[in-house]
Amino acid sequence: YFSMPAALLDFMVERRVSTIIWAVSAVCIISTLKGFDYKIPTDLKKVMFSGEVMPIKHLNIWKDHLPDVTYVNLYGPTEITCNCTYHVIDKEYEPGQVIPIGESFRNERVFLLDEENKLIEREPNSGLGEICVSGTAVVMGYYNNKEQTERAFCQNPLNDKYLETIYRTGDLGFYDDNRKMRFSSRKDFQIKHMGHRIELAELELTALKLDGIEECCVLYDADKKQIYMFVIGDNEPRDVVLHFRKEMPPFMVPRKIIKLEEMPRLPNSKIDMQDLKSYFK
């Protein structure tokens, strides 16, 4: 049904679907293709999404058409089967802002460790750290892959009293002014470019502030030392460059801006990064 938005909306309306838990990319299919101009599933009560950062433009389209629905931002990798935090959206957000990932589920503990494996306190501006998870949902490891298991699953460095396995997500997070945890970026999405440390997620958020940009993905070609930005929307590459020159210092302006009709997807609906890297050649 996700390949046929009209049929998907027909199904939701006919079955009077009240709750959905979808990947962000699935939620955005409806808003991108203007599905609500065709039909609105008015029986919806809860809309929960995870897997990627929710673009505020798309969230606001849903809220405009279904204002009385409870919207919940979920976070969690597959390795903890499958979400570990939630945040009930209780305010308005503007494009470029990031929704908190919020509070831990019961029987889960989610915390931040700095580069020296010390706990980052739950205080505003206390620093950026790796999101780590312990609790009942952490899996035993990767099947038949001892090396990767030992790298990602380890003893909790904060606990020297008993065995406690944690999963190191590879995601970076921080605490906002309200002490809510927020996702920042992947550790491997931090790059060193022209002598400056850059988070690629920050470039994506900046692009999404521009009217007309529906979706964006930024990758870095370390060999050529070039920032690639892939966009979906009405804007031409020149529009994006002018926008970045107003918003960002010169070293953060993407060198290559590629306009796509749609993003390549993996079977789980996430963006296929390897497919996009074919443009590096």
Side-chain angles (χ1 to χ4, degrees):
Y1 283 125
F2 286 120
S3 64
M4 300 176 289
L8 175 62
L9 287 165
D10 286 339
F11 179 90
M12 294 174 69
V13 171
E14 290 167 6
R15 302 299 179 93
R16 303 188 65 183
V17 172
S18 62
T19 301
I20 58 175
I21 308 174
W22 288 357
V24 165
S25 54
V27 175
C28 292
I29 286 172
I30 301 258
S31 45
T32 298
L33 298 178
K34 298 179 172 55
F36 293 134
D37 291 348
Y38 167 68
K39 192 171 288 186
I40 299 176
T42 54
D43 287 294
L44 272 178
K45 300 294 185 292
K46 293 186 180 72
V47 173
M48 295 178 270
F49 41 82
S50 64
E52 295 172 283
V53 175
M54 168 57 81
I56 301 302
K57 287 181 181 179
H58 292 275
L59 173 63
N60 287 342
I61 290 172
W62 277 74
K63 292 182 72 177
D64 287 343
H65 289 87
L66 291 161
D68 298 325
V69 166
T70 297
Y71 294 90
V72 184
N73 188 32
L74 302 172
Y75 167 82
T78 302
E79 289 84 349
I80 53 87
T81 58
C82 176
N83 292 307
C84 56
T85 71
Y86 69 97
H87 175 73
V88 178
I89 296 172
D90 56 0
K91 58 172 282 188
E92 300 298 321
Y93 288 90
E94 297 295 328
Q97 293 182 313
V98 179
I99 305 167
I101 62 174
E103 306 298 324
S104 304
F105 287 179
R106 291 180 180 180
N107 296 328
E108 309 297 326
R109 185 185 176 208
V110 183
F111 53 96
L112 303 179
L113 291 178
D114 65 16
E115 292 182 353
E116 298 178 350
N117 283 333
K118 294 180 180 178
L119 180 69
I120 293 179
E121 297 297 333
R122 193 176 183 122
E123 297 292 338
N125 304 313
S126 53
L128 196 65
E130 183 175 9
I131 301 174
C132 299
V133 187
S134 67
T136 57
V138 175
V139 304
M140 298 172 68
Y142 298 106
Y143 178 71
N144 205 26
N145 193 331
K146 182 179 179 181
E147 182 180 348
Q148 190 174 352
T149 296
E150 290 178 346
R151 186 165 57 246
F153 298 88
C154 63
Q155 170 65 20
N156 185 353
L158 306 176
N159 180 4
D160 59 3
K161 302 296 189 296
Y162 55 85
L163 182 64
E164 182 189 6
T165 300
I166 67 170
Y167 174 62
R168 306 189 71 118
T169 65
D171 292 335
L172 296 174
F174 63 96
Y175 294 110
D176 64 17
D177 292 339
N178 296 314
R179 296 182 172 83
K180 297 284 189 182
M181 187 181 291
R182 293 183 186 244
F183 170 82
S184 174
S185 65
R186 290 283 301 168
K187 285 179 72 174
D188 50 10
F189 277 20
Q190 278 192 331
I191 65 167
K192 194 72 174 294
H193 178 62
M194 297 177 65
H196 300 273
R197 190 169 295 281
I198 300 173
E199 289 190 18
L200 299 182
E202 185 178 357
L203 302 185
E204 293 176 354
L205 289 173
T206 299
L208 290 170
K209 291 180 182 178
L210 181 61
D211 289 339
I213 296 294
E214 298 294 336
E215 194 171 4
C216 173
C217 181
V218 178
L219 297 177
Y220 185 64
D221 185 342
D223 294 331
K224 296 180 181 177
K225 301 189 184 308
Q226 290 184 347
I227 298 173
Y228 282 70
M229 176 171 285
F230 303 88
V231 297
I232 296 175
D234 299 329
N235 310 77
E236 295 301 322
R238 175 179 172 79
D239 301 328
V240 180
V241 170
L242 292 175
H243 171 68
F244 266 81
R245 286 177 178 171
K246 293 178 183 176
E247 297 282 333
M248 292 291 194
F251 63 86
M252 294 181 74
V253 177
R255 184 71 178 272
K256 299 283 187 178
I257 299 172
I258 300 169
K259 188 174 178 180
L260 302 175
E261 290 297 321
E262 60 181 11
M263 291 288 180
R265 299 286 178 185
L266 296 167
N268 62 5
S269 296
K270 291 187 178 181
I271 295 173
D272 188 340
M273 304 292 187
Q274 292 304 315
D275 188 294
L276 291 180
K277 286 181 180 179
S278 65
Y279 286 89
F280 290 2
K281 298 176 182 178

